[in-house]
Coordinates of all heavy atoms in Angstrom, one line a residue:
Chain H
M272 N -2.8 -21.2 -1.4 CA -4.2 -21.4 -1.2 C -4.7 -22.4 -2.2 O -4.5 -22.2 -3.4 CB -5.0 -20.1 -1.3 CG -6.4 -20.2 -1.1 SD -6.9 -20.8 0.5 CE -6.2 -19.6 1.6
D282 N -4.3 -17.8 -8.3 CA -3.8 -16.5 -8.0 C -2.3 -16.5 -8.3 O -1.6 -17.6 -8.3 CB -3.9 -16.3 -6.5 CG -5.4 -16.2 -6.1 OD1 -6.2 -16.0 -7.0 OD2 -5.7 -16.2 -4.9
Q298 N -5.2 -12.7 14.5 CA -5.1 -13.8 15.5 C -6.3 -13.7 16.4 O -6.9 -12.7 16.5 CB -3.8 -13.6 16.3 CG -2.5 -13.7 15.6 CD -2.3 -15.2 15.1 OE1 -2.5 -16.1 15.8 NE2 -1.8 -15.3 13.9
R322 N -25.9 1.3 16.2 CA -24.5 1.8 16.1 C -24.4 3.3 15.8 O -25.1 3.8 15.0 CB -23.9 1.0 14.9 CG -22.4 1.2 14.8 CD -22.1 0.3 13.6 NE -20.7 0.5 13.2 CZ -20.3 0.2 12.0 NH1 -21.2 -0.3 11.1 NH2 -19.1 0.3 11.7
R585 N 20.0 -3.3 3.6 CA 19.0 -3.5 4.6 C 18.4 -4.9 4.4 O 18.2 -5.7 5.4 CB 18.0 -2.4 4.5 CG 17.0 -2.3 5.6 CD 16.4 -0.9 5.6 NE 15.8 -0.5 4.3 CZ 14.6 -0.7 4.1 NH1 13.8 -1.3 4.9 NH2 14.1 -0.4 2.9
E622 N 17.5 1.0 14.6 CA 16.9 0.0 15.3 C 17.4 -1.4 15.0 O 17.4 -2.3 15.8 CB 15.4 0.0 15.0 CG 14.6 1.1 15.7 CD 13.1 0.9 15.7 OE1 12.6 -0.1 16.3 OE2 12.4 1.7 15.0
L623 N 17.8 -1.6 13.8 CA 18.3 -2.9 13.3 C 19.8 -3.1 13.6 O 20.3 -4.2 13.6 CB 18.1 -3.0 11.8 CG 16.7 -3.2 11.4 CD1 16.5 -2.9 9.9 CD2 16.2 -4.6 11.7
Y685 N -0.4 1.8 14.2 CA -0.1 1.7 15.6 C -1.2 2.1 16.5 O -1.0 2.3 17.7 CB 1.2 2.6 15.9 CG 2.4 2.0 15.3 CD1 2.8 2.2 14.0 CD2 3.2 1.1 16.1 CE1 3.9 1.7 13.5 CE2 4.4 0.6 15.5 CZ 4.7 0.9 14.2 OH 5.9 0.3 13.7
Chain Z
R62 N -8.0 -4.2 13.4 CA -8.6 -4.9 14.6 C -9.6 -4.1 15.3 O -10.7 -4.5 15.7 CB -7.5 -5.4 15.5 CG -8.0 -6.1 16.8 CD -6.9 -6.8 17.5 NE -6.9 -8.2 16.9 CZ -6.6 -9.3 17.7 NH1 -6.3 -9.2 18.9 NH2 -6.6 -10.5 17.1
E71 N -21.7 -4.3 16.2 CA -22.9 -4.0 15.4 C -23.6 -5.2 14.8 O -24.8 -5.3 14.8 CB -22.4 -3.1 14.2 CG -23.5 -2.7 13.2 CD -24.5 -1.8 13.7 OE1 -24.3 -1.2 14.8 OE2 -25.6 -1.6 13.1
R135 N 4.0 -5.1 7.9 CA 2.9 -4.1 7.9 C 2.8 -3.4 6.6 O 1.8 -3.0 6.1 CB 3.1 -3.2 9.1 CG 2.5 -3.8 10.4 CD 2.5 -2.9 11.5 NE 3.8 -2.8 12.1 CZ 4.7 -1.8 12.0 NH1 4.3 -0.8 11.3 NH2 5.9 -1.9 12.6
R147 N -9.4 -1.4 -3.9 CA -9.7 -1.1 -5.3 C -10.8 -2.0 -5.9 O -11.3 -1.7 -7.0 CB -8.4 -1.1 -6.2 CG -7.4 0.0 -5.8 CD -6.1 -0.3 -6.4 NE -6.1 -0.3 -7.9 CZ -5.0 -0.5 -8.6 NH1 -3.9 -0.8 -8.1 NH2 -5.1 -0.5 -9.9
R160 N -10.5 -17.0 0.0 CA -9.0 -17.2 0.2 C -8.6 -17.1 1.6 O -7.6 -17.8 2.0 CB -8.3 -16.2 -0.7 CG -8.4 -16.3 -2.2 CD -7.7 -17.6 -2.6 NE -7.6 -17.6 -4.1 CZ -8.3 -18.6 -4.8 NH1 -9.0 -19.5 -4.2 NH2 -8.2 -18.6 -6.1
S188 N -9.6 -12.3 -8.4 CA -8.3 -13.0 -8.5 C -7.5 -12.5 -9.6 O -6.3 -12.2 -9.5 CB -8.5 -14.5 -8.7 OG -7.3 -15.2 -8.9
W210 N 12.3 -9.2 4.8 CA 13.3 -8.7 5.7 C 12.8 -8.8 7.1 O 11.7 -8.4 7.5 CB 13.4 -7.2 5.3 CG 14.3 -6.4 6.3 CD1 15.4 -6.8 6.9 CD2 14.1 -5.0 6.6 NE1 15.9 -5.8 7.6 CE2 15.1 -4.7 7.5 CE3 13.1 -4.0 6.3 CZ2 15.3 -3.4 8.0 CZ3 13.3 -2.8 6.8 CH2 14.3 -2.5 7.6
R213 N 15.7 -7.1 13.9 CA 16.6 -7.5 14.9 C 15.9 -7.9 16.2 O 16.3 -8.8 16.9 CB 17.6 -6.4 15.1 CG 18.6 -6.7 16.2 CD 19.7 -5.6 16.2 NE 19.3 -4.3 16.4 CZ 19.3 -3.7 17.6 NH1 19.6 -4.4 18.7 NH2 18.9 -2.4 17.7

Side-chain angles (χ1 to χ4, degrees):
Chain H
M272 180 63 57
D282 294 345
Q298 296 290 319
R322 187 177 173 203
R585 195 157 52 93
E622 284 194 66
L623 289 164
Y685 288 87
Chain Z
R62 178 162 270 215
E71 175 69 11
R135 277 186 280 105
R147 293 167 63 183
R160 293 290 191 247
S188 173
W210 173 35
R213 174 168 63 93

